[in-house]
Amino acid sequence: MLDNVVKTIINVSKSAVPQAVNLAQRQEIVVKILKELKLDPPQPSDNVDQVYVYALVEYGVGKDEPILKLFREKEIKNAFWSAYTNNSPISFLNEVNKFLNWELKDWNTLGNEIKESKIDIQSELEEFGRAFIRVAKRTKSSKFKLYPELNLDEYPDWNFDEYPAEFKSLIMEKIKAFCGREFVFEEFGNFIKGNPNGYFTVVGDAGMGKTAIAAKYVYDHKFPCHFNVRADGRNKPDFFLKSISKQLMKRYELQNPNQDNLSALLQKVSENLGGQKLVIVVDALDEVEQTGGGNILDFPTTLPDGVYFFLTRRPYERENKRLNVSPGVGMRELDLRVKENQDLSRNDVKRYIGFMLNADSDDGVELQNWVQERDIQKVDFVEQVADKSENNFMYLRYVLPDIAKGFYSDLSLRELPDGLQDYYQQHWVRMGMEDKPLENKVIVLFILVESRTLPSLEMIAEFAQQDESDVEDVLKEWVEFLSKQEVEGEICYSIYHASFLDFLKGKRKLDSTRRLFEEVNERMASDYSDI
C-alpha cells in the first residue's frame, strides 16, 4: 500500500506542477493524489493506517524521493505510531537514526541516499509529525488525542527540541550573535548555590536584552520556559500553566497533570529530581494580563527544594510586584540599570558591535567597507555606536544593519530605522496614547519630552498645574519607560532612551505648537529663563 502511495505522490507531483509555488497549487496536487488513491480528500476515517497515508500525501508533495521511501518502511511507520501514542517524538528520531545507520553499512541503500541528498532528517520528521496531527484533528477521533480516556482536546507536542515549538523561532532569533552577559548567569549560579529554592528576577529597561538573556539560558540548559507575548495572547495565567504543565509532563513523565495547580505539579516534580535542579524560565512578566489578586501568573508562595524560577521584567512600582513568598524561599533581583551592571552591559554592547563588525556575513563585510570608506578606526566606530546605543541592544539590532546598507553617511545616525520606529510604536501604544488619552496624561508626557533639564515630581506638577499625587499616578503608569535619577536630593525623571525621546518628539499629539500646550510652554520658558 505505502509503495503505491509513494509512487503516486512522485508521479502526480511531477506531472501536475514541477514545483508547487503556492499553497493553493500545492493543495490541488494533494487532492489529485488522494483521488487517485480512491480516498476522500476532505474527510479521512479514524483508521490509523489511513491517517498515516493522508499525512504522507499532505507532507510529501515536492519532497525528495529518498525521504518518501523512508516513510513507506514498515519499521518507520510502527516507530512513528509508538512515539506518537507515548508523546515521545525524540524516541522516533532515535529509531529513525538507528534504522539509517544500519542502512549505511551497504552501498546504495536508503541511508546513503538520504545522506547524499543532504536531507535534514530532524526537520523532515518534525514536519511529517505536524502533518499527521493536522489530519488526525480532522477525524475528530479521541484515539489520536493525548488522553483519550479523558477526552481532552490535546494532541502530542510533536517537537524534537526540549523547549516548546511555539517559542522555538523566538529563541533561535534572540540567540543570534548573542554576546556576553556572563555576569547575569554568574549571579544566578550564585543564587542557586546560596538558596535551596527561589525566585531570581532580571530587571531592565526595554531593549536591554532581557528576552535574549532568557532565550540563551533556555537554549544552553534546555529548561522549561514560557515567554509572555502580548501580541500573541500568550500572556495569561491559564496559558502559562498549560504550557509549563506539558513541558514538565514530557520532561519528568508525569501522569495527567492537567488538573494540578502549579504548586501540586512542582511537588510531583521535586520527587523526581534526584538531587538535580529544576529551573523554570519566565520572560516578560510586565506583559502579563491578569485580573484579581494573588501572585503574578499564580506563582506559588512556597517552592520545593531544588526548584527555581528565572524571571525577567521591566521596571515596576512596588505595589505592582505581585510576587509574595513565604519565609525561607529565596528572592533576588538583578537590576541591569544600576551603575555596576550598566558598565558590564556596556562591555557586552561593545563585544556585540565588534562581533557584528567582524562577522563572516554580508553585514560584517558591509560594515567593514563602511568604516574603511570613511577612514574610521574600528575601535572608534565601536565606541561611538556604543555611546549612541545607551546599552540598548534593540537599538543595535536595527541600526547596525541599516549602517551596513548605507542608510547613514556618518556616525551621527540621526534618522531612526523603520524597524526601530515600529518597536517604539509598540511602546507608544502600551502607554495608552492611542486610546484618546486624558489631557493631564498628555501634558505630563509633553513636559518630559520638552524639558531641557531633568524635572522633579514637584517641577512637573508645577508646569502642568496638577496635584503632585495625580502626576505621580501618571508617572507610575509609565515607570517602565522612564529613568529616575537623584539630583540634589530629589528624584528626577527622563525618557529612558534618547532614540525613544526622538521618536516621541515626532508624534503629532506632542507637537509643541498645539494650543493645549501654550500655557505649559510659557511656564516652562519662564522657569528656564531664571536658570
Side-chain angles (χ1 to χ4, degrees):
M1 171 65 177
L2 289 178
D3 279 343
N4 184 44
V5 172
V6 168
K7 287 178 183 176
T8 305
I9 292 172
I10 293 170
N11 292 335
V12 174
S13 296
K14 287 180 179 177
S15 62
V17 181
Q19 289 184 333
V21 294
N22 59 48
L23 187 61
Q25 233 175 356
R26 194 177 192 283
Q27 192 55 37
E28 287 178 10
I29 301 171
V30 168
V31 170
K32 185 172 182 179
I33 293 170
L34 290 172
K35 286 182 176 178
E36 287 211 11
L37 294 170
K38 297 184 171 28
L39 296 171
D40 181 17
Q43 189 57 52
S45 74
D46 66 354
N47 178 277
V48 174
D49 290 339
Q50 191 177 116
V51 171
Y52 189 89
V53 169
Y54 271 73
L56 185 53
V57 172
E58 294 195 6
Y59 155 82
V61 172
K63 293 294 182 181
D64 291 332
E65 188 171 341
I67 193 68
L68 294 175
K69 288 162 67 176
L70 175 72
F71 283 110
R72 78 181 179 188
E73 297 291 333
K74 182 179 179 180
E75 296 97 320
I76 299 304
K77 177 175 168 292
N78 291 340
F80 172 79
W81 183 241
S82 174
Y84 184 93
T85 54
N86 288 291
N87 192 24
S88 179
I90 295 297
S91 67
F92 181 48
L93 176 62
N94 292 337
E95 289 300 314
V96 169
N97 283 331
K98 285 181 190 176
F99 179 86
L100 292 178
N101 286 334
W102 178 81
E103 287 277 305
L104 280 169
K105 291 179 181 178
D106 299 313
W107 178 250
N108 204 29
T109 60
L110 181 56
N112 279 301
E113 289 180 40
I114 288 176
K115 185 178 180 180
E116 289 173 3
S117 298
K118 296 181 179 179
I119 292 170
D120 184 343
I121 282 293
Q122 179 167 318
S123 296
E124 298 301 328
L125 300 188
E126 278 191 336
E127 188 178 338
F128 175 80
R130 290 194 292 270
F132 187 93
I133 291 172
R134 286 197 302 272
V135 176
K137 287 180 177 179
R138 297 210 302 270
T139 70
K140 298 183 172 28
S141 171
S142 62
K143 74 167 65 173
F144 298 103
K145 297 179 181 180
L146 266 182
Y147 306 111
E149 69 279 6
L150 299 178
N151 199 29
L152 297 175
D153 193 27
E154 291 189 30
Y155 293 82
D157 181 15
W158 200 257
N159 173 33
F160 292 138
D161 291 309
E162 293 185 46
Y163 33 79
E166 63 263 31
F167 302 128
K168 182 175 179 180
S169 60
L170 182 151
I171 291 169
M172 300 311 294
E173 170 63 26
K174 291 295 182 181
I175 64 170
K176 286 180 182 177
F178 185 92
C179 287
R181 319 323 289 261
E182 286 93 349
F183 71 95
V184 176
F185 303 129
E186 184 178 335
E187 284 289 336
F188 183 52
N190 292 335
F191 175 77
I192 290 178
K193 291 176 184 175
N195 295 275
N197 53 47
Y199 293 92
F200 181 91
T201 306
V202 178
V203 178
D205 290 329
M208 293 188 81
K210 301 181 299 300
T211 299
I213 290 170
K216 178 64 173 174
Y217 194 82
V218 171
Y219 181 80
D220 286 348
H221 300 280
K222 304 299 187 290
F223 277 125
C225 64
H226 182 79
F227 291 80
N228 289 291
V229 184
R230 187 192 304 261
D232 295 344
R234 300 190 186 118
N235 61 338
K236 298 178 177 63
D238 56 344
F239 193 100
F240 164 72
L241 178 59
K242 183 177 179 180
S243 175
I244 290 298
S245 295
K246 287 173 65 176
Q247 293 176 65
L248 293 177
M249 178 191 69
K250 180 179 177 181
R251 189 182 184 96
Y252 297 103
E253 299 181 356
L254 302 177
Q255 297 300 312
N256 300 343
N258 300 69
Q259 297 175 354
D260 290 331
N261 60 30
L262 190 54
S263 293
L265 190 56
L266 294 177
Q267 187 58 47
K268 286 184 178 181
V269 169
S270 70
E271 297 165 7
N272 291 272
L273 285 177
Q276 299 297 309
K277 310 294 186 186
L278 165 65
V279 177
I280 297 176
V281 179
V282 185
D283 177 58
L285 294 185
D286 49 279
E287 294 271 335
V288 171
E289 290 183 12
Q290 180 175 346
T291 58
N295 276 346
I296 193 166
L297 292 178
D298 298 326
F299 287 152
T301 56
T302 61
L303 294 174
D305 286 351
V307 176
Y308 303 85
F309 279 79
F310 184 99
L311 313 171
T312 75
R313 67 187 302 169
R314 292 184 185 180
Y316 60 92
E317 292 294 329
R318 181 170 296 278
E319 60 263 34
N320 295 325
K321 182 176 182 178
R322 298 194 66 173
L323 183 54
N324 298 306
V325 300
S326 300
V329 176
M331 286 275 281
R332 164 88 165 91
E333 282 194 355
L334 177 68
D335 194 333
L336 298 176
R337 300 168 302 162
V338 302
K339 178 66 168 63
E340 178 185 355
N341 293 333
Q342 285 270 26
D343 293 342
L344 293 170
S345 292
R346 180 178 171 85
N347 291 336
D348 290 338
V349 161
K350 290 165 66 175
R351 286 171 64 181
Y352 177 82
I353 299 169
F355 174 82
M356 292 300 293
L357 183 59
N358 296 301
D360 185 18
S361 66
D362 290 340
D363 281 351
V365 172
E366 295 301 329
L367 282 172
Q368 291 178 40
N369 291 339
W370 191 94
V371 167
Q372 290 171 2
E373 288 168 3
R374 287 156 183 80
D375 197 23
I376 301 171
Q377 295 296 316
K378 285 186 179 181
V379 65
D380 293 332
F381 176 85
V382 170
E383 287 289 347
Q384 290 188 53
V385 177
D387 287 341
K388 285 280 185 181
S389 77
E390 297 179 291
N391 290 354
N392 188 314
F393 282 87
M394 193 61 69
Y395 176 90
L396 296 173
R397 179 186 170 192
Y398 289 117
V399 167
L400 288 173
D402 273 9
I403 294 176
K405 292 170 186 171
F407 293 165
Y408 299 98
S409 59
D410 55 43
L411 279 170
S412 61
L413 310 181
R414 290 190 182 90
E415 294 295 323
L416 295 181
D418 289 342
L420 197 57
Q421 291 271 7
D422 293 339
Y423 177 67
Y424 287 149
Q425 178 65 26
Q426 293 176 15
H427 292 356
W428 174 260
V429 172
R430 285 189 66 177
M431 293 164 79
M433 300 306 292
E434 294 293 337
D435 303 327
K436 295 186 178 178
L438 297 176
E439 189 174 288
N440 63 337
K441 184 187 290 188
V442 179
I443 289 174
V444 170
L445 182 56
F446 172 79
I447 292 167
L448 289 168
V449 168
E450 292 295 321
S451 181
R452 287 181 249 158
T453 62
L454 295 178
S456 65
L457 172 62
E458 182 182 356
M459 287 177 64
I460 297 171
E462 182 181 337
F463 291 152
Q465 289 197 339
Q466 297 175 18
D467 289 340
E468 287 189 17
S469 61
D470 293 336
V471 173
E472 189 172 23
D473 287 342
V474 174
L475 295 175
K476 283 180 179 180
E477 281 185 46
W478 296 339
V479 65
E480 60 195 273
F481 307 106
L482 302 178
S483 296
K484 291 193 283 188
Q485 184 177 335
E486 187 172 327
V487 179
E488 297 180 355
E490 285 190 296
I491 299 298
C492 298
Y493 298 84
S494 63
I495 303 299
Y496 83 100
H497 192 271
S499 59
F500 187 38
L501 180 61
D502 291 341
F503 168 82
L504 292 175
K505 286 181 177 179
K507 280 293 182 183
R508 292 182 64 185
K509 287 184 181 178
L510 299 177
D511 190 336
S512 60
T513 62
R514 287 183 63 191
R515 250 183 229 177
L516 176 64
F517 303 131
E518 286 179 0
E519 292 184 8
V520 179
N521 266 315
E522 289 175 7
R523 288 191 289 272
M524 292 176 71
S526 174
D527 187 85
Y528 292 135
S529 67
D530 296 333
I531 297 176

